[in-house]
Amino acid sequence: VPVRPSHRIPFHWPPHAVSMDFHVLASDWSGSDEFELDGEVFQISVAKTPFGIFGRCVKYWNEAKANSLEEVIEGLKKGLQPLLDRQRAIGQALGMQGRCTEEVRKLSRSQLVRLLYCRDRDAAAEAQKEIEKQASSGLFTEALIHILDDRTHPLRRIAQWCVLDMFEDLPAFCRSPEDEVKAVAAIRDLVWSANDDYARTIYKAGVVLGGHVCSDQSAEALLACMFAPSRVGRRSAMHAVFHLAEWMPEKRDLIVEQLTKASKNDSEPLLRTFAACMARDIETKAPEHVTEPMFPEEAD
């Protein structure tokens, strides 16, 4: 069963250096101390000024200001915690004991792929950026398709969303038509069998097929998925064909025909209504489409 991931929270480091606001001079950092956090000892420099006491953990570019050294240390601990949590999450994704202090851009190709499964979605997104830089090598394609085929890893929705985001530019990753065929088939299968839409992954899959790939194969996949066993998959396909009709107008009549069929036969009342509205919007060439419905359990 996949884990429902939280939203991505962009990570920014280093944080603002508070000493710059008070023009603390290099010569003011004359003291030193240390503190322990999560079993690790951190060395700090201390500056005592008329404006208060400043502490700086030089190794991690973190600062704090307070009226006492104890408060400074507590501020440094609070400031460091997000970095340590992120490094721990990366280490866990890579199968390490403890934190990973290596920069993501210095990780190996296999480590970058593993990092797509990081519970910290921003760290996974950073791995995605590094993979995108090497897309033309073709070395990641097979692994990325394998991620779309994953049906067991609890954090697979995070990784699959990243792959789908990359596959918006599918030719950049596929060095042959055969690779593109495999990728589209993997996206279709993901939509076909999905029992959730965590991280909007299945919605994203439809958008990739209908709004970015836009080939005969992707069109065939979406039209089939409108009658998939998965209701979240059917919803994704019903939404995506609106964009497919924009990019491939020669398929508009067939799309409307299939949506009309779904509007009469889908087992889910919400989707029958949705299909009818989408058929209307596509047939009339409306500039916007009706909002896709949410299922009751998704409102939590």
Side-chain angles (χ1 to χ4, degrees):
V1 178
V3 171
R4 184 173 190 169
S6 57
H7 295 295
R8 176 187 171 188
I9 301 175
F11 182 77
H12 302 288
W13 199 268
H16 176 67
V18 66
S19 65
M20 295 180 63
D21 297 334
F22 294 88
H23 306 290
V24 178
L25 303 175
S27 57
D28 293 329
W29 298 95
S30 57
S32 63
D33 211 311
E34 63 182 30
F35 64 88
E36 184 176 334
L37 179 61
D38 291 350
E40 184 174 345
V41 175
F42 295 86
Q43 304 294 326
I44 65 172
S45 297
V46 178
K48 295 182 179 180
T49 75
F51 308 106
I53 300 175
F54 295 81
R56 172 187 287 173
C57 188
V58 179
K59 183 178 180 181
Y60 294 99
W61 297 87
N62 186 42
E63 291 188 0
K65 172 188 175 293
N67 294 320
S68 69
L69 183 57
E70 291 76 14
E71 291 174 322
V72 166
I73 289 175
E74 287 304 310
L76 288 170
K77 287 181 179 180
K78 183 177 180 180
L80 272 174
Q81 198 66 61
L83 174 64
L84 303 187
D85 291 344
R86 178 185 176 88
Q87 291 178 335
R88 192 174 295 107
I90 293 173
Q92 182 183 49
L94 299 182
M96 297 179 175
Q97 294 292 328
R99 296 186 292 117
C100 173
T101 57
E102 187 72 87
E103 294 180 51
V104 171
R105 63 185 178 85
K106 294 182 179 179
L107 296 177
S108 67
R109 291 190 177 101
S110 62
Q111 287 177 318
L112 289 173
V113 172
R114 292 184 69 176
L115 190 53
L116 294 176
Y117 284 90
C118 187
R119 55 186 168 85
D120 182 329
R121 292 186 66 183
D122 191 67
E126 190 172 347
Q128 175 188 331
K129 290 179 182 178
E130 293 303 319
I131 292 173
E132 287 173 333
K133 293 176 184 178
Q134 305 176 55
S136 62
S137 69
L139 296 173
F140 289 95
T141 309
E142 184 177 350
L144 299 181
I145 292 175
H146 180 74
I147 289 173
L148 294 179
D149 290 334
D150 186 354
R151 300 293 183 268
T152 59
H153 197 291
L155 296 174
R156 60 187 180 273
R157 292 296 184 241
I158 296 173
Q160 288 167 343
W161 195 97
C162 289
V163 172
L164 291 166
D165 200 43
M166 288 185 271
F167 278 5
E168 286 186 356
D169 187 9
L170 192 58
F173 286 89
C174 296
R175 304 175 78 178
S176 69
E178 291 75 17
D179 284 342
E180 291 195 30
V181 167
K182 291 177 183 177
V184 170
I187 299 172
R188 177 201 63 210
D189 293 346
L190 177 64
V191 173
W192 185 268
S193 60
N195 56 12
D196 64 80
D197 199 12
Y198 295 159
R200 297 282 273 169
T201 301
I202 310 308
Y203 173 89
K204 179 79 166 179
V207 169
V208 172
L209 291 178
H212 296 274
V213 178
C214 302
S215 65
D216 287 337
Q217 187 196 3
S218 72
E220 182 180 345
L222 282 177
L223 291 171
C225 284
M226 282 201 289
F227 304 94
S230 163
R231 64 175 182 168
V232 294
R234 299 198 301 275
R235 179 180 62 185
S236 172
M238 290 174 187
H239 160 257
V241 292
F242 180 90
H243 304 291
L244 183 68
E246 292 178 314
W247 291 105
M248 302 183 75
E250 69 276 11
K251 296 189 180 295
R252 180 178 287 113
D253 290 344
L254 177 58
I255 291 170
V256 171
E257 177 186 326
Q258 294 300 89
L259 281 168
T260 302
K261 180 180 177 182
S263 73
K264 298 175 181 178
N265 299 309
D266 198 289
S267 60
E268 172 60 57
L270 286 172
L271 292 184
R272 290 199 297 271
T273 301
F274 183 47
C277 292
M278 291 299 285
R280 176 204 64 202
D281 292 342
I282 292 172
E283 191 169 30
T284 60
K285 300 181 182 179
E288 299 291 341
H289 60 76
V290 65
T291 302
E292 62 276 2
M294 290 182 64
F295 300 121
E297 69 276 9
E298 295 176 324
D300 297 340

